[in-house]
Each structure stands twice: as C-alpha cells, then as structure tokens.
Amino acid sequence: MEEKSVRRGFLLSKGWLQAVVIVMLLGFTVLGILAYKTYEDGAPVPVKVFDPQGQLLFDGDDVSAGQQVFLHNGLMEYGSVFGHGAYLGPDYTADYLRRSSNIAIAGNGGPPVDQDGMEIDGSDSRPDPAGDVARQKTIDQFRDNQYDEDSGELTLSQTQADAFRKLIPYYTRYFSVDDTEHGLRPEAITDPQDLRNLTAFFAWTAWAAAADRPGKNYSYTNNWPSEPRVDNKPTANALVWSAISLIALLGGIGLLFGAFGRYRDLGWHGREQTVVSFRDPSTVSLTPGQKSTAWFFFVMAVLFLIQCFVGAAVQHYRAELTSFFGFDLAVILPYNLLRTWHVQLSIFWVATSFVAAGIFLAPMIARREPKGQGKLGYFLLIALAVVVFGTLIGSYLGIHGVLEDAATNWFGLQGFEYLDLARLWQVLLVVGLVLWAYMLFRVMRSRLRSEHPGNMPWLFFLAACAIPAFYAVGLLAQTYEQFSVTEFWRFWVVHLWVEDFLEIFTTVMVAYMFVLLGVVRERVALMVILLDIGLYSVGGVVGTMHHLYFSGTPSEHMALGAFFSAIEVVPLTFLTVEAWSFLQLGANQESKSETEFPHRWAVMFLVAVGFWNFLGAGVFGFLVNLPIVSYYEIGTALTANHAHAAMMGVYGMLAIGLSLFCLRYMIPSKKWPDKWAKVSFWGTNIGLAWMCFATLLPLGIMQLYKSVNDGYFEARQFDFLTDKTANMLEWLRLPGDLVFIIFGAIPVLYICFLGVKYTIARRGEGDGEGEADAELFTVISGTSMEDEPPDMPARPEPTPGT
Amino acid sequence: MNTEVLLAGGYGVLLLAGAMVLEWLSRHTHNRSQAWRTSGFDYDAQHDFWVCHKGEQLWPAEFDREKRLVRYRAKAAVCNACPAKGDCTDSNHGREITRAVDSWPHSEAGRFHRAIAVMLVLLAACELGVVLIRNHDPVEIAVLLPLLWVSVVALWWLARDLVRTPDGFPEAMPAHGNRIGRNKQT
Ligand code: HEM
Ligand SMILES: [Fe+2]
C-alpha cells in the first residue's frame, strides 16, 4: 500500500468518539469505586472465631486454607458456594446453613436431627410451641452479628459452635467416602486437617449468609440463600431494584426504537450499492501467516469435538449418576474433572478461532505482511497447544490429588470456575495473547500510522488488545484471598470478556469482513461499530455486578448491577433487529453479479449469531437477571440454559462462521464442501435449540418453582434431578445432543481437515513475503467508494469466476 | 391429574407461543431490514412508485423474475444533476431502488427462523406425546390430547411451508459478455 505521509482523518464527526470514550471512562470509574467497596465492605473473614467459652473454633487462615482445598480439589466444578460453581453437587453455603440451623434448632429444644444435621422425618407435622421457641431462638442466634471490626474477632453462639463441631465429621464422611456415589473420585479428600479447614470455609460462607451486616437488617449476602430457619428472605433492595431494572429495560428499548423511528437512517440512508463481483476465493493468494491459520482452525475443530464428547459424559452424570452404561466412570474421570474440561475447552476452542481470524484478516487490512509472520503463527499455535494440553493434564493431576498445595496452584488447577487453569498456564496464555496482539501490530504498523486512531484499523487493533488486557485481570484473583474479592476479579474476565469486549471485537471483525468484501462502506461500518461499543459499554461495564448480587458484596453492587445489566439487553434487542440487518444487507446481491457470493454459510452462521444473541444472551440472560429471580435460581438449570444458548449460540457459532469464512480461501472452490457447511449449520443450530428447549429451559423452570416453593436447598438436592419428571427431561435432550455432535461438530472437523489438507497441497505457492496480494476479496466495478481509498482502490477488470 | 401433566401442558403452550412469537419477529426483522435499505425513500403503495428525499419519483423499470424483485428507477438526467448524488448512487443511469419479494439472505434467514419454529412445535408434540404415554386418566387425556392435536396441525402447516419456500440463494449468473464493466447493466 502506498505509504501516506498525511494521516487520514477521522471519518465521522468527533462526537461519536467522544461519546464512546466518556461511556468507557464513566463505566470503569464506577467499577473502580466498586472494586474499592469490595475490599472495604466485602464479608469480612474474621481473624479468629470463638465459641462463647472463648475456645478457638477456627481462624482466618483456616478459612483461607479451606477455600484452597475447595478450589484445588475442583469442588467449584462440582457444587457451589454463594451460588457460583457447578450444579451437580449442593451449594455448600446453603447446605451448611441448612444443616447447622437444624442442629441449632435441635440444640435450642426443637425437633431432633440425625448425625448429618437433617431433620428426622415426620418430626414436624403438628403445632409445636417448643419448636417455635427454638426456631425463633435460632433465628436470633444466626442473625446476631458478634463480629468485632477492631479486633477482627468473631464469637459464635453455643449452638452455632456445636453445629460446626458436628459438621466436621459429616463433611469428612461426605468427601472421604471410598465410593463414587457423589460423582467425585473415591476418597476425594482424606486429610483431617484439610477436611476441618474445608468445613471452616463452608461455615464462614454460611455465617456471612445469615449474620446481619452492621447497621443493616440483612446479611452480608443480601439474605441469600432463602432459608426460613434463619429468616433469610429477599431484601427490599432486591425487590426495588428488580422493578427499577425492569423499567430501565423497557424504557431503554422504547427510547432507542423511538429515536430510530424518528431518525430512521442516522445519516446513512440507503445508498445504492456499486456493482460487486466477488473474486473466486481460490484465486486469492494467501500469505504465510494466513496459511498458518488452517492449522489453528483444525485445532479448533478438534477441541470443539472433544468438548462435545466431554459434555455428553457430563450430561450422563446428571441422567444416571452412578453408572456410565454399567461402568464406574468416576474412578477415572470424576464429574468435576469432566466439568472443568468441558468449561475450559469451550473457552479454548472459541479463542483459537478468534486468534486465527485476527491473523487472517490483519494482512487483508494492512495489505502487507512482514517476513516471519507464518513462523510466528506456528509458534503461537504450539504455545496455545501447550497451554491447552497443559491445562487438561494439570486438571487431571490436580483433581486426582497427585499434585498438592502450591504445586496444584501453579501446575494443576486454581479451580475458579471458568478460570480453572493453573497459574502457570494462565500466565502463559496471557503471554500468548500479547504475542498475538503484537503479531497483529507488526502487520498493521504502517497502516496504523497513516490512520486517525478512531478509524477502523485502530479499532480493530485496540479491540484485539482488550482481549489479553482483560484476561490478565484474572491474575488478580488469588486462591487464598477473601472470596468476594476473588469473585469480583474473576467476573471482570468472565463477564467483561463475553458481554463487552468480545462483542465489540466481533462487531469490528465482522464489519471489517464486509468492508473488505466491498459490500459495506467503511463509514457505515464505523458508525455501527462505534454505536455498538457505546451501547454495549453503557450497560455491560457496570453490568458486571449482576454476578455479584449475593457474593458477600455490598448492596450497591446489586443495585448498580441490576440496573446496568438490564440496559445491556437493549443493544441485544436493537442490534438484532436493526444493525445485524446491515450485515445481512451486506451480502445482498440484488445488484447483478456474475460470480457467486462465496460466503453463504459463513453469513448464515452470522445470522445465527444474531439470533442467539437475541435469544440466548438477551432473552435467556434477562430471564435470570432480575435480583429477585437470581435470588431463587442462581446456580440452577436456568443458568445453564442461558450459558449454553449464549456461549455456544453467540461465540460458538461465530467461531465456526469465522473458520468457514477463512477456510473458503484455503480450500479450492471446486473442492469446497458446501454441503457439509450446510449440514453443520443446521446440525449445530437445531441441536443447540433442542438442548435448550427440550431440557434446560423446562428443567430450569421446574427447579425455579421448586426453589420458590420448597426452598433453595431442596432445589439443589440431588433428589430433584432424579425426580421422574426431571429425569425424563434429562433423557429428552439425547436426540438433540446426537444431532449436535454428528451433524454439527463432526462436519466442522471435516471441513477444517480439508483446510489443512489443501494448505499443505498448495505449500510454497505465492509465499513471496512482503507485499500481500494486491487484489483481495472482491472486485468492484463502477466508481470506487469515495471515502475509502486506502481499502478499495479501483480495480482492473474482474477475473471471471470458475 | 398430576403435576407432570400440568407442567407438560403449560410448557407445551409455551413452546407453541414461542413458535408464534418467532414467526412474528422474523417477519418483523425482515420488514425492518427491507426498510433500512430503502430508508430515505417513501413508497406510494397505491400508485407503486417511490419518492426520494429530494422529491424525485422512481417508477418501476423492470421485474426481475429470477430474483423475484421489482426495480424502480429515477430519471438519469435528474440524478446526474442532483447535488446529493454522491451520497446516493454512483450509477449514471439514475438511482435504482428494489423491492424484493424476498431476497437472500433474508430469504434464508427467514427459513432458519421458520425451521427453529418447526423444531419448537415438533418438540411440543414429542413432549406432550411422551407425557401422554406416561399419564392417561380421562382428565389427563382431555388436557393433553387437544394440545397434541394443535401441535401436530401447527407442525404440519409450518413444515409444509418450510419445504415450499425456496432458500433464494442467488445462483451465479454466467457472464454474457457485456455484463462485465464499469457501468451497471441496464
Ligand atoms: C453473549 C453474551 C453472553 C454470554 C456468552 C454469557 C454467558 C454466561 C455464562 C457462561 C454464565 C454462567 C456463569 C456461571 O455459571 O457462573 C452466565 C451467567 C449469567 N449471565 Fe450471561 N452471558 C451473556 C450475556 C448475558 C446478558 C446480556 C445478560 C443479562 C442481561 C446475562 C446475565 C447473566 C446472569 C444474571 C448470570 C448469572 C446467573 C447465575 O450465576 O446463576 N448474560 N452468562
Ligand atoms: Fe454477565
């Protein structure tokens, strides 16, 4: 590309950029304040905990050690605390609270309990005045907060202290049983000290769940979980902010559609397309960097398929806990190991596709590729493979107890759900992503120099940089830190990735693809991108707090989280209905063209992304978003429903769509397996929709019903899953899962295999370093689009398609 | 009547309603994106012409049978002299606007949404069927059977429509000579 001495100015009016910068700054300022409040006002871990006689029950180090036992043994991938984690096992906060309050009631003269802290059946049917007194006493004991902020010491009531002592043997039996009845490995935890600390950790979360915050009439967790035995019920805040956020959503949607109804075109009224004829993709010569992406996509497809198989095994535990078609799977692959593999693979394969697509697009944008990009590409791929397989093996060793303590933390698993990987791999992954951003930079360097930082090349580069930057925030979560704090940083990654920066990177990438194809003008694309960044960030940044309603964080987190995350749904609705149609429009071929549009199935996958963004993220996300709903449903199948529909529906479909887009250039047109692309499109979409609607959604509704009616503890019991209706639902998803794997994942693997095959076959072809192919995707006849000379210089006569 | 029947009945209704909402939304998006492309232009349905924001009229010029769309065009001389031409078109033959019966990818996106709706209804039928096999007192049959019947009818109706609707993906048109070039073919 000709080096321009003058920088190209910003294509839009400055107001666009200012608005976006202000939104970001405000959002992160608020998030910064909330970070401070989390450290200040998060549920405190007492330095020492005493019984009324002044005997030490446990201390702060025990709680921290117990938290590490919990995390490093992969228990957050089995059950949960504060509602966060996996859903097969119980929520240990609710579990400890139920058992300890039962023991306390018995201790106060109420109905007796068994050695597990459960009521003996049939003990409470008739009116029972003694029991009522005992229950009221228990409520008072649990809610009374005897934590001394100055000394950091906490004194529990006698009954709470007794409960703690009685529950150590219970959890000891539970975790050390030499059997796979819980879906954990036999003798999962046997060290008495570990078991004691683990119980102390559960005891601390349960204390925080019931003890009133100083000066408030609700607990540190905003009264979560619902538990009549300690008078835990939704707070007024939860109700008020649910109502306000509902109004915010409806108002926001109304406003935006109103505004767009009035200014229908925001300045881009339907301009007639130039005549476009698409180059036959196989005549586009590829750079070494671009060719390396064939391998990335192949690895992506392999990981995707493995994730599916692991997912099938995870599901099998829910349908039939103790036998895997007659085989005791949990001895080798316990539930929590499979669950952590499943979750981590989903992140890995999607990230692999994003990374590859970035490497593929950069030279198209820059129109050059410096020497060595291909080698760097292969190096990055190997590094990625090391991280992925290191993580998988580490999780295995960690959960099987081969590694211990610090070794688990660094090489086994840290155990935070979604950030499970050991610290070594986490650091390496950050390094790998930084290397990736550098690879994009070296390709685009001169292009960036000639552009205003608000224009598309910069936005592409900055959006890419945000991915490692926000992944690195996860390093702030340390397994020994107070749990509210680790949850706070964990969700910076989990939430800000998927609900802000990945959405942004997606829009930039997709918009750029269409600009490069010559079907959307750069100005229009830029507007859509900036609108998108603004709209997503208004709600998405502060909206992070919708994960921290009940994690021991102050009620501000709940109020702001509920309000702003409700606004997140506005762009999802709006962009689906409005702006995604610009992408559909992008491929529109009403102007006559003699070459076929080459990206039929890539575009259809983008259509699917739009659909799932609306349904999976928008509708199913909002379904669990109101504090009052979240209060009852957190950690149930309704969350799984949202998580699958949003994660696979949006980012999974996108990852596949991007791979098809790029592979179309690597596989010769005559060999392009259009039929398999079609099969995978229908297979993944129908399979996913079936999974959600046949099982996860109805099961979630049933579980929510159970939780409101009978209690959260009951809804999370394993009995619930084995209830005959629930069990029927678990089996009903089987056809969908089969469709998803056989017609979805396997064809994707085949197509990616072809990509590798033909890239090898065409090795050496057009490997001239330096200048990339001057003619890229498209040939545009007619006047070139006036506002984007650097991208689309007028072309010579088109090469007719094959 | 046990709770499973109530739940299944309720959920069956929900699925059917979901399919209906999806059908409606799909049509709505389709119209919105259609409107997007023609924004700035007003359509006069009675006389079948468009008016651009400068007040010029575009009349039907051609019906493209293959792509199932009508092309409307403004007078070339007027457009070529128009100060807004740069933002409007680069054709020298007058601004053209099309009204598609259903063009790709909307056509195929529509099929995608329709297929999901078919799946929802199929699921409703399966679920109601399974529950009916498990629970069949007279009362339960009275609740489930009509719902099952509605699902099957809806399924048949939607699926038939899905099969009949073409995907509308444009075939490549073999070049016949003069089509390649700097100007739009007229
Ligand atoms: C593409 C975008 C999105 C993706 C990929 C996504 C993914 C996920 C995942 C994987 C979880 C499970 C986390 C866990 O188990 O701890 C989750 C939870 C949640 N999501 Fe989303 N989400 C998206 C958008 C949204 C939106 C737009 C909203 C709301 C407006 C939302 C609201 C929630 C809430 C409230 C939870 C917590 C539920 C719980 O912990 O029980 N999400 N999301
Ligand atoms: Fe979130």
Side-chain angles (χ1 to χ4, degrees), chain B residues 113-133:
Chain B
H113 297 144
R114 168 61 57 82
I116 299 280
V118 167
M119 195 217 75
L120 291 180
V121 178
L122 172 68
L123 183 59
C126 285
E127 178 232 17
L128 291 165
V130 170
V131 175
L132 190 60
I133 292 171

Side-chain angles (χ1 to χ4, degrees), chain A residues 297 300 353 654-664 748 752:
Chain A
F297 289 122
M300 168 203 90
S353 173
L654 184 71
I656 299 173
L658 291 173
S659 71
L660 292 185
F661 180 86
C662 301
L663 288 167
R664 186 71 180 80
V748 170
C752 293

Side-chain angles (χ1 to χ4, degrees), chain A residues 686-743:
Chain A
I686 298 286
L688 181 61
W690 186 278
M691 178 194 307
C692 290
F693 284 105
T695 304
L696 295 176
L697 179 63
L699 192 66
I701 294 172
M702 266 175 65
Q703 211 171 355
L704 176 60
Y705 186 79
K706 176 107 182 159
S707 174
V708 175
N709 265 344
D710 297 351
Y712 185 76
F713 174 85
E714 280 78 3
R716 286 287 301 269
Q717 285 298 291
F718 197 73
D719 301 353
F720 168 77
L721 292 178
T722 46
D723 163 279
K724 71 183 179 68
T725 308
N727 201 249
M728 174 191 78
L729 289 176
E730 298 277 9
W731 282 107
L732 208 59
R733 63 180 277 179
L734 196 68
D737 292 357
L738 288 176
V739 167
F740 189 86
I741 295 178
I742 296 172
F743 298 106

Side-chain angles (χ1 to χ4, degrees), chain A residues 456-507:
Chain A
M456 280 182 73
W458 272 101
L459 293 182
F460 176 80
F461 178 65
L462 292 175
C465 288
I467 293 176
F470 281 87
Y471 193 76
V473 175
L475 289 167
L476 292 173
Q478 298 268 23
T479 50
Y480 53 79
E481 286 236 46
Q482 196 266 34
F483 205 64
S484 316
V485 169
T486 63
E487 286 291 87
F488 183 85
W489 294 122
R490 179 168 81 93
F491 279 112
W492 270 57
V493 181
V494 177
H495 171 99
L496 284 179
W497 251 35
V498 298
E499 284 167 64
D500 204 28
F501 292 103
L502 284 190
E503 292 275 9
I504 291 172
F505 188 60
T506 301
T507 315

Side-chain angles (χ1 to χ4, degrees), chain A residues 378-437:
Chain A
Y378 289 112
F379 176 75
L380 182 61
L381 181 68
I382 292 169
L384 209 66
V386 168
V387 168
V388 170
F389 291 101
T391 298
L392 299 184
I393 295 169
S395 315
Y396 181 90
L397 297 179
I399 286 178
H400 277 281
V402 178
L403 300 173
E404 274 176 18
D405 304 328
T408 325
N409 201 42
W410 279 94
F411 308 107
L413 77 169
Q414 291 183 83
F416 295 116
E417 192 196 20
Y418 298 103
L419 294 181
D420 311 60
L421 73 185
R423 241 176 142 65
L424 173 68
W425 310 125
Q426 195 181 14
V427 171
L428 279 183
L429 190 54
V430 172
V431 172
L433 288 172
V434 169
L435 172 66
W436 170 67

Side-chain angles (χ1 to χ4, degrees), chain A residues 84 87 417-418 491 498-499 503 546-547 565 568-569 572 617 621-622 624-625 633-635 639 642-643 646-647 650-651:
Chain A
H84 285 313
Y87 323 128
E417 192 196 20
Y418 298 103
F491 279 112
V498 298
E499 284 167 64
E503 292 275 9
H546 65 180
H547 299 281
S565 59
E568 267 179 68
V569 178
L572 290 173
F622 191 74
V624 297
N625 197 62
E633 80 69 45
I634 186 168
T639 296
H642 157 62
M647 187 67 198
V650 178
Y651 294 114

